[in-house]
Amino acid sequence: MDNQKEQFGMLLEAAEKAKKNAYAPFSDFHVGAALLAKNGQIFTGVNIENSSYGATNCAERTALFKAVSEGVREFAAIAVLSDSEELIYPCGICRQALNDFVDDDFIVVCGNCRKEYEVYRFRDLLPHVGIPLFE
């Protein structure tokens, strides 16, 4: 368990460092994410806002897209945090994007500016995945 806590701390630290590069001129809500690949690489991402809201990209997807663009497709965990006192969780679009690349035991570490965090398995954040819509 200590090794896991150390790993979570390392991911949260990387997300915190990345968060400083967030581009949030409209919301002033800065988010950082750190995605751990199964090969040990860490990919960071930040939220990047746009005046056309639909063109905005979340930190989690920025990290995921960076990793995938580098040829990495297998992931173990992600940490996501903001400058809010509340814990932050991946949005529905980010959960769906991650779903294409992670398994049910993928770890999601949700943190805040007070260095508090909660840990979830992906299956608990995106339940009932895999149920076909059409048969």
Side-chain angles (χ1 to χ4, degrees):
M1 184 66 164
D2 285 338
N3 186 36
Q4 233 179 10
K5 281 187 178 182
E6 186 176 308
Q7 189 176 57
F8 298 158
M10 178 181 64
L11 285 176
L12 286 165
E13 187 176 309
E16 177 69 33
K17 184 177 178 184
K19 184 180 71 169
K20 295 172 183 164
N21 292 323
Y23 180 73
F26 306 103
S27 71
D28 200 34
F29 188 71
H30 302 89
V31 181
L35 178 64
L36 175 64
K38 287 187 177 179
N39 69 9
Q41 286 182 275
I42 295 176
F43 296 88
T44 59
V46 299
N47 59 317
I48 303 168
E49 293 182 350
N50 188 279
S51 58
S52 169
Y53 184 72
T56 293
N57 203 54
C58 296
E60 300 93 309
R61 282 181 285 139
T62 300
L64 177 65
F65 296 164
K66 284 170 63 176
V68 171
S69 73
E70 295 296 321
V72 178
R73 306 281 193 278
E74 295 181 343
F75 306 101
I78 192 168
V80 57
L81 56 84
S82 74
D83 46 12
S84 170
E85 292 186 8
E86 301 296 321
L87 293 174
I88 186 171
Y89 304 85
C91 75
I93 295 172
C94 288
R95 293 177 199 196
Q96 189 60 54
L98 286 165
N99 184 59
D100 285 356
F101 295 95
V102 305
D103 58 31
D104 285 349
D105 290 323
F106 177 78
I107 299 294
V108 181
V109 183
C110 305
N112 64 16
C113 68
R114 296 184 296 202
K115 300 189 186 297
E116 300 168 331
Y117 66 90
E118 292 178 357
V119 180
Y120 298 90
R121 284 195 169 84
F122 189 70
R123 66 175 169 243
D124 297 325
L125 292 179
L126 192 62
H128 312 295
V129 172
I131 298 173
L133 294 177
F134 306 103
E135 294 187 48

